[in-house]
Amino acid sequence: MKVLIVGGGGREHAIAWKVAQSPRVDKLYCAPGNAGIAEVAECVDIGVMEFDKLVAFAKEKEIDLTVVAPDDPLAAGAVDAFEAAGLRAFGPRANAAILEGSKAFSKDLMKKYGIPTAAYETFNTPEAALRYLETAPMPIVLKADGLALGKGVLICKDREEAKAGVKTLMLDKQFGSAGDRIVVEEFMTGREVSVLSFVDGKTIKIMTSAQDHKRAKDGDQGLNTGGMGTFSPSPFYTDEVDAYCKEHIYQKTVDAMRAEGREFKGIIFFGLMLTEKGPKVLEYNARFGDPETQVVLPRMKNDLVELFEACIDGTLENVELEFEDNAAVCVVLASDGYPEKYEKGYKISGLEKFKDADGYYVFHAGSKFDADGNIVTNGGRVLGVTATGKDLKEARANAYKATEWVEFGNKYMRSDIGKAIDEA
Ligand code: AMP
Ligand code: GLY
């Protein structure tokens, strides 16, 4: 069969790498892809929001399955556009992708169906939000309602910061229309865990757990980023936590979406916080995580294409997910200055060292070919270096060893991905 993947980051490279291993796939395309993805797929120069062009391409090439990976096209109805043209596509339709696309929607859903999450209020005007903040308990969390590249969340330690936060989101519109409405939420403490799942509308199958490191600098200092590294599994995701989430969170979310007439087919990514009062949902994403995918898929034994098809066909019930009994760590190599200002266009060397090294992977997040055919840096996050090992300690040592194989101008990484875990 012929498969098209929509997206062009590290997550899409990991998905493309895994899809390419399926014996059922004869030809793989990726739009727009990147220099790393070009090793496993033919890259097509079409942007992720250019639905008309994507659909026309899929028709012309007689694509059997399109996988839409990023949040923006999903929320804007990419899967609906493919389906309207009679094409098969993996991912939630727009009416279900709202689970990630609107924090107000997801909070209301959790409240209505009794799914554990932080207490909250929603505000449509800055005046009402400011009035509430006069007496609300501090610290407090402000969230832009809409999609904001994972950056529309402000943790405010006191009233002054909270008021300034309302200005940032609702008046200065730092995240554009995503801040027209905000959710103001109780501040929670605890370990964070990311859990990805396959959903076919009725059935949900949980993948192995992972943990992200969102801050730019060591020791969780610095600005929030898209993610500087991940590890899998999370030692804090115990059998007890799993059982609790299965009873109170996972299936309930799938059933709630169905009851609302918003049947969800695709990936649900549960951002959980393990609080003293039990696991609670921090957020839902309606897609694979980046860079969680770069540690979860290398540990997965299943044929990914079969899983995508089972979600579309509603046959997930018959599938057993299987993961290696090992661990994986992904260290993001970024351009120094990310997530603010950084330079691009530096030649990347050493990539060939990964080719024959078993258990080592380099997933490209921001790379491209220059006019001379060299692979050069093309983003804030450049590469995700993943390694497996028998446990987290070994996987971490392997991943950091492999980060030394590659060089490029202004290379920057955190040195403590997965470290707190060893010491816990
Ligand atoms: P979100 O995009 O909603 O996952 O939020 C981004 C990050 O902000 C999370 O990964 C948490 O570290 C933090 N965060 C979000 N909501 C809360 C909350 N209610 N209490 C404490 N931290 C939070
Ligand atoms: N790594 C977090 C996310 O994909 O949203």
Side-chain angles (χ1 to χ4, degrees):
M1 63 192 284
K2 294 183 194 169
V3 178
L4 166 66
I5 295 169
V6 176
R11 161 183 56 204
E12 288 77 16
H13 190 179
I15 295 170
W17 163 80
K18 186 75 179 159
V19 165
Q21 288 168 22
S22 171
R24 305 182 49 203
V25 175
D26 306 309
K27 178 75 190 171
L28 180 58
Y29 296 95
C30 188
N34 63 37
I37 294 173
E39 272 194 22
V40 289
E42 184 176 330
C43 295
V44 191
D45 190 16
I46 306 177
V48 300
M49 298 301 281
E50 296 183 293
F51 297 173
D52 289 348
K53 285 189 188 170
L54 289 169
V55 168
F57 177 82
K59 277 191 159 167
E60 183 203 322
K61 298 290 182 190
E62 299 179 322
I63 300 291
D64 300 293
L65 171 67
T66 298
V67 179
V68 182
D71 46 355
D72 281 332
L74 287 168
V79 169
D80 309 60
F82 279 93
E83 287 182 348
L87 296 164
R88 262 162 94 74
F90 174 80
R93 295 174 186 151
N95 79 344
I98 191 175
L99 189 62
E100 169 171 9
S102 167
K103 300 237 187 231
F105 170 85
S106 69
K107 295 295 292 190
D108 289 348
L109 186 87
M110 288 187 266
K111 188 191 243 175
K112 182 169 171 188
Y113 292 91
I115 298 166
T117 190
Y120 73 102
E121 298 282 342
T122 303
F123 298 98
N124 295 303
T125 67
E127 294 75 25
L130 290 170
R131 215 174 307 126
Y132 174 77
L133 289 171
E134 289 295 346
T135 53
M138 297 292 143
I140 204 155
V141 182
L142 309 187
K143 298 186 175 186
D145 177 48
L147 295 176
L149 292 170
K151 292 170 196 157
V153 174
L154 306 177
I155 313 275
C156 308
K157 65 175 183 313
D158 56 33
R159 236 167 279 287
E160 211 170 304
E161 266 187 38
K163 287 182 184 170
V166 170
K167 182 167 180 297
T168 305
L169 296 176
M170 301 191 90
L171 293 168
D172 301 345
K173 300 248 172 244
Q174 196 166 325
F175 302 99
S177 59
D180 287 351
R181 180 155 56 160
I182 65 168
V183 169
V184 177
E185 195 173 278
E186 166 202 5
F187 174 76
M188 305 188 291
T189 52
R191 296 274 181 189
E192 286 184 44
V193 183
S194 301
V195 176
L196 305 178
S197 66
F198 292 95
V199 181
D200 73 355
K202 312 181 290 287
T203 302
I204 178 164
K205 292 281 164 104
I206 302 300
M207 295 183 228
T208 182
S209 60
Q211 188 179 316
D212 194 5
H213 295 64
K214 287 207 169 88
R215 300 294 198 97
K217 304 237 158 78
D218 280 10
D220 291 330
Q221 302 296 310
L223 293 171
N224 254 322
T225 71
M228 293 300 294
T230 40
F231 59 85
S232 170
S234 162
F236 305 105
Y237 191 80
T238 58
D239 289 348
E240 194 188 346
V241 170
D242 184 59
Y244 181 93
C245 295
K246 282 187 171 135
E247 186 179 344
H248 298 283
I249 296 176
Y250 303 146
Q251 189 66 48
K252 266 190 173 176
T253 300
V254 176
D255 295 345
M257 289 298 279
R258 217 148 82 101
E260 293 293 310
R262 297 173 181 275
E263 184 176 72
F264 193 105
K265 291 185 172 201
I267 304 294
I268 300 183
F269 164 155
F270 298 85
L272 303 174
M273 189 173 266
L274 310 181
T275 74
E276 270 184 356
K277 292 184 191 145
K280 293 192 181 186
V281 178
L282 276 174
E283 65 160 347
Y284 292 115
N285 295 313
R287 51 169 176 83
F288 278 105
D290 191 348
E292 282 85 348
T293 307
Q294 291 91 310
V295 284
V296 169
L297 291 187
R299 300 186 54 227
M300 198 173 88
K301 293 185 188 173
N302 302 69
D303 181 332
L304 188 52
V305 174
E306 274 177 15
L307 290 166
F308 289 154
E309 297 220 290
C311 290
I312 296 173
D313 296 336
T315 57
L316 200 55
E317 201 183 357
N318 310 325
V319 179
E320 195 72 48
L321 289 189
E322 284 186 279
F323 289 86
E324 305 280 354
D325 184 19
N326 63 359
V329 170
C330 172
V331 180
V332 169
L333 304 187
S335 302
D336 197 12
Y338 171 73
E340 293 186 290
K341 265 185 28 200
Y342 52 85
E343 294 166 20
K344 304 192 277 197
Y346 291 103
K347 198 173 154 189
I348 306 173
S349 63
L351 293 167
E352 69 288 349
K353 301 203 174 81
F354 287 83
K355 287 223 172 80
D356 303 313
D358 209 19
Y360 296 87
Y361 313 89
V362 60
F363 297 117
H364 293 223
S367 72
K368 67 170 191 180
F369 293 104
D370 70 6
D372 302 322
N374 298 308
I375 297 182
V376 298
T377 63
N378 191 37
R381 290 191 291 179
V382 178
L383 303 171
V385 171
T386 296
T388 54
K390 66 176 187 309
D391 54 21
L392 281 171
K393 196 170 178 155
E394 190 179 285
R396 185 159 70 87
N398 289 344
Y400 274 103
K401 181 178 70 189
T403 62
E404 291 168 17
W405 300 347
V406 252
E407 287 305 331
F408 56 83
N410 289 349
K411 173 179 149 188
Y412 170 79
M413 65 183 150
R414 274 182 61 161
S415 69
D416 62 348
I417 302 301
K419 189 161 174 231
I421 300 314
D422 281 358
E423 290 160 5

